[in-house]
Amino acid sequence: MAGESDKVAKLPEPSKKGDLSVEEALQSRRSVRDYTAESLTLAELSQLLWAAQGKTHPMGLRTAPSPGALYPLELYVVAGKVDDLESGVYKYICGRHELKRTLDGDQRSNLCKAALKQESISDAPVVIVITAVYQRVMKKYGERGTQYTHIEVGAAVQNVYLQARSLSLGTVVIGAFYDNKVSRALALPDGEEPLAIMPVGKPK
């Protein structure tokens, strides 16, 4: 029987230096919906996840700003074609920079159906899904915490866009989906709400 350790994938250490400047990445950033059939490397996936919500300080601060450093966002990886990573759904554990498998098997098609059959989701080798636990922020900021969470997800999304561009990858942020169907497709825990879907792949 498979143990808990079999469901954890350690990610390569992310690079803190790149060849593309922030200005160049901003100038050339575009939404990309068409991808080749080529798989992503585990190092590329590691870099994307670190850009979105990676730990950058011993106190637990991350790459994206968060209201009160409460960090309501969670990241999931829907992996279909990633070198050295089994197909499945994984939760990103930012403090340890690792992935914990939550569902076995390729779930890209199910996620695609939950998002109005947008083919970029099923075509991309990997899909990043950003969810939110609003209560983490609302317990301090009340209803205003919802708005603060949406500001944070915007920052995380842009980080993924710029990191993808620096890796010569393409992505697009998708907001058109049925929340309840996405939650079922990914078996999200109660209290987590899907906010953004980002397929990632090598542009055609």
Side-chain angles (χ1 to χ4, degrees):
M1 181 179 294
E4 191 66 24
S5 61
D6 298 319
K7 294 183 177 293
V8 174
K10 193 68 179 176
L11 292 165
E13 187 67 19
S15 173
K16 307 306 191 314
K17 293 184 178 180
D19 297 327
L20 194 71
S21 71
V22 173
E23 293 82 3
E24 290 169 317
L26 287 167
Q27 172 65 28
S28 56
R29 186 216 60 78
R30 297 292 182 272
S31 291
V32 177
R33 295 173 175 82
D34 297 314
Y35 315 105
T36 70
E38 191 173 349
S39 63
L40 257 63
T41 67
L42 199 57
E44 289 170 332
L45 178 58
S46 168
Q47 201 68 40
L48 291 163
L49 295 172
W50 175 82
Q53 284 284 286
K55 182 179 174 182
T56 58
H57 190 276
M59 296 295 291
L61 302 180
R62 303 183 189 179
T63 51
S66 183
L70 295 171
Y71 301 109
L73 302 187
E74 298 287 353
L75 263 60
Y76 290 84
V77 172
V78 184
K81 295 179 65 177
V82 180
D83 296 342
D84 302 315
L85 187 68
E86 292 183 22
S87 296
V89 177
Y90 296 81
K91 186 173 184 176
Y92 177 54
I93 312 299
C94 71
R96 297 192 295 272
H97 195 59
E98 64 186 24
L99 294 173
K100 182 177 181 180
R101 192 164 74 244
T102 58
L103 274 180
D104 296 333
D106 190 347
Q107 302 297 324
R108 290 176 297 170
S109 178
N110 290 334
L111 183 59
C112 177
K113 293 174 184 175
L116 287 73
K117 299 182 179 179
Q118 296 179 74
E119 293 181 353
S120 57
I121 295 173
S122 55
D123 291 345
V126 68
V127 185
I128 296 171
V129 179
I130 305 177
T131 70
V133 182
Y134 287 110
Q135 191 56 37
R136 289 179 192 163
V137 179
M138 293 177 70
K139 65 183 180 182
K140 180 175 182 178
Y141 297 109
E143 291 299 323
R144 196 69 173 177
T146 301
Q147 182 172 340
Y148 293 163
T149 300
H150 295 164
I151 292 171
E152 182 174 344
V153 77
V157 162
Q158 180 73 331
N159 283 2
V160 174
Y161 262 112
L162 297 179
Q163 183 66 79
R165 179 64 192 92
S166 75
L167 296 171
S168 299
L169 300 172
T171 188
V172 61
V173 61
I174 291 174
F177 51 80
Y178 297 104
D179 294 23
N180 59 339
K181 292 183 179 180
V182 170
S183 295
R184 286 199 299 269
L186 303 184
L188 295 180
D190 291 342
E192 281 191 38
E193 300 292 336
L195 295 184
I197 298 174
M198 299 188 76
V200 186
K202 299 188 186 302
K204 281 188 175 180

